[in-house]
Structures are given as C-alpha cells and as structure tokens.
Amino acid sequence: MRRLALLLSCCLLLASCSSLELAYNQAARLTAWWLDRQFDLDRRQRDQLDQALAELHAWHRREELPHWQALLQAALRGLDDGRVDAAELQALEQRLDESLQRTLRRTAPLAAPWLATLRPEQWQHYSERRREHLQEWRAEEADADQRADALKDSLERWLGRLERPLRTAAERQAQSWGPAPAALWQERAQRQAWTEQGLRTWAAGDLEAGTRLLLMGGARLPEARGPATQAQRERTYADLPVLLQQASPAQWQRARERWRGWLLDLEQLRADS
C-alpha cells in the first residue's frame, strides 16, 4: 500500500510514460503486482488488496488530483524563464511531500487489515526481497555508467528527450559524484528497516506511528536523514540547477509542452472521476 501512495504522489516520475493519464490509471495494478512479488500473497490476500487499492485510487482521484493540478501549474510558471533554481526545486519537493503525507494517512486504515493477515513467512519473504533490492542499488551506485544512465533517465522524464550537449553534461555530472559512500548505504539500510517497521506497526493497528515510520523510511522527515544522505541532498540541490542551465531554449520548450500535456491528462482524469 505504501507503494501505491508513492506511485500516486510521484506518478510524474514513472519511467518514460509520456501520458500521465496512462501511468495514473495503471498505478493500482502495478502496485498489486509489486506487493505480490514482495510478500508472495495468497488468493484471499490478493482479493483483499485489490479492494483496498481500488478504494485508495478512487480517493486519490477525487481528493489529490486538484492539488496535482495546482502543483503543475506553479511548476509551469517557474519554467517560463527557462531556468530552475534550488529554491524552486525545494518548493516542488515540499508540495510532493505534502501530497505523499496526505496519501499515506488515507492509506493507513485501508492497509492495516490486509497487512494484519500476513504470516511470518511472508514477512520474511519481504525482508529478503528488500535486502536483495538494497544490494542491487549498491551495485548500481558503484557503476559509473549506471549512475549516468539513471541521471539521464530522470532528466528525460521531466524534460523529454535530451539533446546531446545536455546528455553529455549529465554524464560528466554523474561521474563527478562518484560512487555512494559506505555511510550512505548504511543509512539507506536503516531507512529500509524503518519502512518494514512502519508496515508492521500499521498491521498492529497503530496507524499514526506507522505513518511516521514510513515517512522516515522514505527520508521525508529531516530527522531521518543522516549526514551522508543530507550531504547528497545538498549536493543535488547545488549541482542540478547548474546542470539545467545547459538546457537549450528548444529543450525547455519541449519540457513545457510535456508538462502542459500532463495538465491536460489531469483534467481528463478529473472529468472521468
């Protein structure tokens, strides 16, 4: 369920999907598939999960889409001059965080009954899957080419297909960052532990405490960011605006067209609700 909250609050970031409407409408199905892989659900649990996801998706379409429209409209105004600074990026992140928090709080009472049905071996299966994911992330961070590809993919989700000079600049930027230090990996492992603890706390019926743990697991609360995580965050806010300054007027125009298309998608989604 936390996965759907993240997908719904960050659906703009879904990989290479030019249609926000398509990505949004697939969010519940993708979440069900992902959770089934993480927990190895039985038939009854899958049915219960599908019902909870449908309720959450309907709520989000009704309550959160207006916030998304306001966020995108503000972001589009910020793109008018073809420049983005750290303050604008932080303002966008803050509004996304607010959406995520509202969505998690609505998710909690829907997720708790389903999570309470999980058996010990299913929790163990989840823990093992998350450890595997952490090791995969560490290997990817150690590979300069994969770091560069991840940065380019992220930029393309927002800006559309990158022109060659910006692609080259992104590759140089990713290489300059170097591999993640061991401390960052350790802090990520701690946040992963908070995430599992948050889900277990939801399952036990303490919704507010579980929500806080999940926000800490996502590094959405300042106190959850260790020194290495904070240093990475500050570096990103310092370097990304400089990198974006190298985008051409044509690149910014494609970005504006892309975002206007997302606004049209949101209008259609609200009309369909």
Side-chain angles (χ1 to χ4, degrees), residues 39-73:
F39 287 103
D40 192 22
L41 304 178
D42 61 35
R43 178 61 180 271
R44 177 176 293 184
Q45 289 168 332
R46 284 195 293 271
D47 289 344
Q48 189 175 2
L49 173 62
D50 287 342
Q51 182 179 352
L53 290 173
E55 290 185 39
L56 178 58
H57 200 264
W59 170 87
H60 193 278
R61 185 188 294 263
R62 183 177 65 253
E63 300 294 337
E64 279 300 308
L65 287 187
H67 294 288
W68 278 23
Q69 285 183 297
L71 184 153
L72 270 178
Q73 287 164 351

Side-chain angles (χ1 to χ4, degrees), residues 1-268:
M1 297 294 290
R2 175 176 176 271
R3 183 71 172 186
L4 182 60
L6 290 169
L7 282 176
L8 290 173
S9 294
C10 303
C11 215
L12 304 181
L13 304 178
L14 288 179
S16 67
C17 189
S18 59
S19 168
L20 176 59
E21 183 180 5
L22 176 61
Y24 188 91
N25 284 332
Q26 293 298 316
R29 183 182 65 82
L30 291 172
T31 301
W33 170 82
W34 184 85
L35 286 170
D36 193 8
R37 291 192 65 199
Q38 302 307 303
F39 287 103
D40 192 22
L41 304 178
D42 61 35
R43 178 61 180 271
R44 177 176 293 184
Q45 289 168 332
R46 284 195 293 271
D47 289 344
Q48 189 175 2
L49 173 62
D50 287 342
Q51 182 179 352
L53 290 173
E55 290 185 39
L56 178 58
H57 200 264
W59 170 87
H60 193 278
R61 185 188 294 263
R62 183 177 65 253
E63 300 294 337
E64 279 300 308
L65 287 187
H67 294 288
W68 278 23
Q69 285 183 297
L71 184 153
L72 270 178
Q73 287 164 351
L76 264 172
R77 289 193 293 271
L79 290 180
D80 284 344
D81 60 0
R83 298 174 66 87
V84 176
D85 60 27
E88 289 172 322
L89 291 174
Q90 289 170 340
L92 176 61
E93 183 187 33
Q94 180 179 349
R95 295 182 73 166
L96 284 170
D97 279 350
E98 291 168 357
S99 177
L100 175 60
Q101 290 187 33
R102 289 190 297 267
T103 304
L104 278 175
R105 289 192 168 89
R106 180 63 187 116
T107 301
L110 297 172
W114 168 76
L115 289 166
T117 71
L118 294 174
R119 300 182 297 276
E121 63 269 23
Q122 291 176 305
W123 285 110
Q124 180 63 29
H125 184 79
Y126 172 80
S127 298
E128 292 171 356
R129 293 284 297 178
R130 304 317 295 155
R131 281 195 293 271
E132 291 170 4
H133 178 76
L134 186 61
Q135 293 296 335
E136 290 169 2
W137 173 83
R138 193 176 191 183
E140 290 168 1
E141 280 291 306
D143 188 299
D145 290 337
Q146 291 196 56
R147 290 198 309 272
D149 288 344
L151 177 58
K152 288 183 291 187
D153 288 347
S154 181
L155 289 172
E156 286 192 336
R157 289 171 196 146
W158 293 99
L159 304 178
R161 184 171 180 81
L162 301 183
E163 296 174 347
R164 184 176 296 276
L166 187 56
R167 290 180 64 84
T168 302
E171 290 168 356
R172 288 198 300 265
Q173 185 67 74
Q175 290 170 357
S176 74
W177 287 342
L184 188 65
W185 178 81
Q186 292 164 358
E187 290 172 12
R188 192 178 182 98
Q190 175 60 70
R191 293 199 303 274
Q192 189 166 289
W194 283 331
T195 295
E196 180 171 344
Q197 186 181 355
L199 294 174
R200 288 179 179 271
T201 303
W202 270 1
D206 191 341
L207 305 187
E208 189 60 33
T211 299
R212 179 175 176 78
L213 283 163
L214 289 169
L215 289 169
M216 292 180 68
R220 304 330 307 163
L221 299 178
E223 58 268 33
R225 300 172 191 143
T229 301
Q230 186 60 31
Q232 182 190 54
R233 175 184 172 85
E234 292 171 358
R235 181 190 64 188
T236 300
Y237 276 125
D239 292 347
L240 192 55
V242 176
L243 176 61
L244 291 174
Q245 287 177 11
Q246 301 179 58
S248 70
Q251 184 81 69
W252 283 116
Q253 180 59 29
R254 282 197 293 275
R256 285 190 286 269
E257 291 171 357
R258 188 176 184 83
W259 288 36
R260 291 189 187 103
W262 287 339
L263 273 174
L264 291 175
D265 284 341
L266 290 180
E267 291 174 6
Q268 186 60 51

